[in-house]
Amino acid sequence: MNYCRKCLYPEIAVNLIYDDEGICSACRVAEDIDNISEQEWKDREKKFIQILEKGRKKSNGGYDCIIAVGGGKDSYWQTYIVKEVYGFNPLLVTYHGNNFLPEGQANLDRMREVFNVDHLIFGPGVDSLIKLNRLGFKKMGDMNWHNHAGIDILPMIIAVKYRIPIVVWGEIPWDVSGMFSPDDYVKYNKRMVLEHDMRGFTLHDMIGEEGLEAKDLIWLNMPTDEEFADVGVEGIYIGNFFSWDPNKQVKLMIDKYKWEPSRQPFERTYRRMSNLDDMHENGIHDYMKYIKFGYGRASDHASKDIRLGYMTRQQGIEMVKKYDHVKPRRDLERWLEYVNMTEEEFDRIADTFRDSRVWTKNKQGEWSKDNIWDFEKRINLEVDNKKDSL
Ligand SMILES: [Zn+2]
């Protein structure tokens, strides 16, 4: 397996390309963002205000925009920018997938209080959610499919129903995949949502399985193109308009609003400020990413921190060594109980998702893979050999 020479991403990670110097496209896009001048950030900020003003005009005395929030540090920061800094009147919309950590729930509930905003929280029936957890895991190795789908679709349903033309989203998926340049000003679009976040599955793949009926999944009906066009709905990513540093933003939100990070450490990553809206996101959901692609959230978080200069590559590798392989006990046991599944069944299904480019099975039936430290050794050996032959 090959890894990026700058961050920690393996070559088979989703949508990455490596250049001649062995640097991945996500790192190159991060460099592009780094090279944006202060003046350009100011111009981008102006563009953001113009879009919201357009929304205010169109909504005609209603909400100026929707902010899709999960109560996380980014939700707070978005609301802070839109409401506190620029004085717009947003409606907050939340998809509630039923598995918030207590501190995540407290952060979510406090948004109405600290920002004095209206907040719509929508949660599907719990039995339907449990069925979707099981089904997502069996179909695509992702028990949190319902979360990705609900978070992406619900604010758009509300935008169409209440005729609110601007929906503000958070971070853009640049840094994960390096798919877009900052100049693309990528917007919310159905194709991205369906192909990436929803992995090509829609509610029609779920109806009729595990006893799920159409009436259980009304909230998964993406508005039609005609409905979007009728209201002129536009989904923008705030990350296109403001320089994005989660470490700085979270500090500001803690100082200003007493936003609370995770009370106890996660089992699979060192960061305590992400994904408090679903206790399994950093746990068993992320373990499935490791099973599939051979890397996990510690690789994601450390790669981001390396690019932002908070960590050296060597420190990042230590984080990967410590966390990526961990089977999260506390989290797995809770999820198995939630969906009524045995660990044996979990392991059997999980193994069907292992990428054969990553994993090999030995005679004893144990899985193994090439790691970033093996790659480092190989690279250093190549360099030594070159020196010797000179
Ligand atoms: Zn990279």
Side-chain angles (χ1 to χ4, degrees):
M1 264 168 84
N2 285 323
Y3 291 83
C4 175
R5 304 280 177 101
K6 189 176 175 192
C7 72
L8 312 169
Y9 275 132
E11 198 161 5
I12 56 137
V14 190
N15 295 314
L16 286 182
I17 308 166
Y18 285 69
D19 65 15
D20 296 344
E21 290 169 55
I23 309 284
C24 78
S25 45
C27 279
R28 289 303 186 203
V29 171
E31 288 170 13
D32 289 348
I33 297 170
D34 223 28
N35 289 333
I36 294 176
S37 68
E38 224 162 277
Q39 184 54 47
E40 197 189 330
W41 280 122
K42 278 194 185 126
D43 294 342
R44 283 171 180 260
E45 200 172 330
K46 268 184 214 148
K47 270 187 199 161
F48 180 75
I49 300 166
Q50 281 164 4
I51 295 169
L52 286 201
E53 275 169 354
K54 192 176 75 185
R56 174 184 273 169
K57 239 188 204 159
K58 267 194 187 168
S59 72
N60 202 16
Y63 298 103
D64 298 329
C65 63
I66 283 175
I67 310 179
V69 300
K73 62 183 189 330
D74 298 350
S75 303
Y76 268 61
W77 191 76
Q78 282 162 259
T79 312
Y80 158 74
I81 293 286
V82 170
K83 169 104 202 237
E84 299 296 324
V85 178
Y86 294 113
F88 290 100
N89 183 30
L91 171 66
L92 307 187
V93 176
T94 297
Y95 167 80
H96 199 298
N98 198 40
N99 282 332
F100 273 67
L101 284 170
E103 50 275 45
Q105 183 70 52
N107 287 331
L108 183 76
D109 293 341
R110 284 181 61 249
M111 292 193 84
R112 281 196 302 152
E113 205 179 304
V114 299
F115 294 109
N116 187 32
V117 281
D118 296 352
H119 190 173
L120 198 62
I121 300 177
F122 172 90
V126 173
D127 190 45
S128 302
L129 283 174
I130 290 170
K131 287 171 178 167
L132 282 172
N133 262 262
R134 254 200 315 258
L135 202 50
F137 173 61
K138 286 180 185 167
K139 267 186 188 297
M140 62 197 103
D142 180 3
M143 52 286 285
N144 283 357
W145 176 86
H146 71 94
N147 259 337
H148 313 311
I151 287 166
D152 282 340
I153 294 176
L154 185 80
M156 291 319 206
I157 294 177
I158 304 300
V160 165
K161 283 234 184 302
Y162 289 94
R163 304 191 72 80
I164 304 168
I166 304 296
V167 181
V168 179
W169 302 87
E171 193 180 9
I172 11 162
W174 288 342
D175 58 336
V176 177
S177 59
M179 276 172 74
F180 298 103
S181 113
D183 293 332
D184 290 336
Y185 284 98
V186 63
K187 284 184 185 174
Y188 177 101
N189 69 78
K190 277 194 202 178
R191 189 175 152 193
M192 278 273 294
V193 167
L194 181 66
E195 288 181 4
H196 292 267
D197 299 2
M198 294 169 66
R199 313 186 192 293
F201 291 92
T202 71
L203 79 161
H204 303 291
D205 300 296
M206 308 297 158
I207 293 170
E209 298 212 41
E210 297 267 349
L212 283 165
E213 298 175 42
K215 69 174 170 59
D216 303 320
L217 305 173
I218 293 166
W219 50 278
L220 278 175
N221 277 293
M222 177 72 96
T224 64
D225 292 347
E226 290 71 24
E227 285 172 319
F228 273 127
D230 180 41
V231 182
V233 175
E234 202 180 327
I236 57 169
Y237 295 95
I238 201 168
N240 272 315
F241 306 96
F242 296 87
S243 165
W244 193 269
D245 184 337
N247 295 290
K248 275 189 200 148
Q249 282 157 223
V250 75
K251 195 182 170 303
L252 184 67
M253 295 303 104
I254 291 170
D255 292 347
K256 246 180 135 48
Y257 304 111
K258 300 196 168 46
W259 183 86
E260 197 188 347
S262 171
R263 286 171 200 161
Q264 53 176 330
F266 288 109
E267 291 169 275
R268 289 187 45 76
T269 183
Y270 61 94
R271 259 199 201 180
R272 287 166 79 156
M273 59 181 184
S274 302
N275 305 111
L276 313 188
D277 57 345
D278 191 297
M279 63 180 84
H280 300 301
E281 185 75 20
N282 278 343
I284 208 64
H285 162 83
D286 185 57
Y287 176 69
M288 283 309 298
K289 174 156 114 175
Y290 176 69
I291 294 284
K292 288 175 183 173
F293 306 114
Y295 75 103
R297 197 139 271 161
S299 291
D300 290 325
H301 289 160
S303 291
K304 287 185 191 198
D305 283 337
I306 289 167
R307 290 181 203 131
L308 288 167
Y310 288 102
M311 210 178 248
T312 64
R313 190 163 183 273
Q314 199 47 47
Q315 286 169 327
I317 290 173
E318 291 307 315
M319 290 298 124
V320 173
K321 236 182 209 168
K322 185 170 175 194
Y323 288 108
D324 261 10
H325 66 283
V326 171
K327 190 174 182 183
R329 293 313 315 174
R330 185 179 72 220
D331 194 73
L332 174 63
E333 275 152 32
R334 193 272 174 188
W335 188 78
L336 291 175
E337 200 187 317
Y338 184 55
V339 303
N340 190 22
M341 189 180 282
T342 63
E343 186 167 346
E344 205 186 0
E345 190 181 1
F346 175 87
D347 287 338
R348 187 174 48 74
I349 295 169
D351 281 346
T352 63
F353 290 102
R354 287 187 195 260
D355 189 322
S356 58
R357 293 171 300 170
V358 177
W359 295 99
T360 44
K361 201 177 192 177
N362 68 14
K363 277 182 193 149
Q364 288 78 45
E366 293 153 345
W367 293 98
S368 68
K369 72 184 243 335
D370 195 35
N371 290 298
I372 189 162
W373 43 94
D374 303 317
F375 172 75
E376 293 291 288
K377 257 191 222 153
R378 260 194 338 263
I379 294 296
N380 291 337
L381 208 65
E382 275 170 31
V383 172
D384 287 348
N385 285 345
K386 254 188 206 158
K387 273 187 202 151
D388 287 349
S389 64
L390 280 175

